[in-house]
Amino acid sequence: MLPNVELEYPFDHRTWVGATDREVEGNFQWSIGYGGDISWSWYPRQPDDNYGGQDCLTVMRSAHFDDAKCASGKVFVCEKEQPI
């Protein structure tokens, strides 16, 4: 598991971005309710739910999406409120 530190280039690693298909397999939804289509940038033959339980969305260095097990240790990006 990667340490919980700020990385200068987080997308050098597979990165959690806050979407899951836990409710309906293959139908990824943003966890904080963003609308929008998540089907446009998948790595070829993904999502595949390989061996079952790949319910969380990652972004690969190539900027393509991949599904992965949610318990896998990866860096993450999070929402940050902009100051007024």
Side-chain angles (χ1 to χ4, degrees):
M1 180 143 98
L2 295 170
N4 188 14
V5 297
E6 263 187 61
L7 298 174
E8 187 173 351
Y9 302 104
F11 293 108
D12 281 350
H13 307 275
R14 288 185 180 222
T15 304
W16 296 125
V17 291
T20 181
D21 72 345
R22 284 182 171 159
E23 289 185 27
V24 177
E25 184 60 42
N27 183 17
F28 281 82
Q29 300 292 316
W30 296 109
S31 59
I32 58 171
Y34 290 135
D37 185 9
I38 301 178
S39 65
W40 56 271
S41 186
W42 287 97
Y43 193 75
R45 297 182 297 284
Q46 297 297 326
D48 63 357
D49 198 36
N50 194 27
Y51 300 109
Q54 289 190 329
D55 294 325
C56 287
L57 183 74
T58 65
V59 173
M60 303 166 64
R61 186 175 188 176
S62 65
H64 288 98
F65 293 144
D66 187 18
D67 57 337
K69 291 189 180 291
C70 299
S72 300
K74 300 191 182 351
V75 296
F76 58 90
V77 293
C78 58
E79 180 181 29
K80 179 180 179 185
E81 189 173 319
Q82 295 292 331
I84 296 176

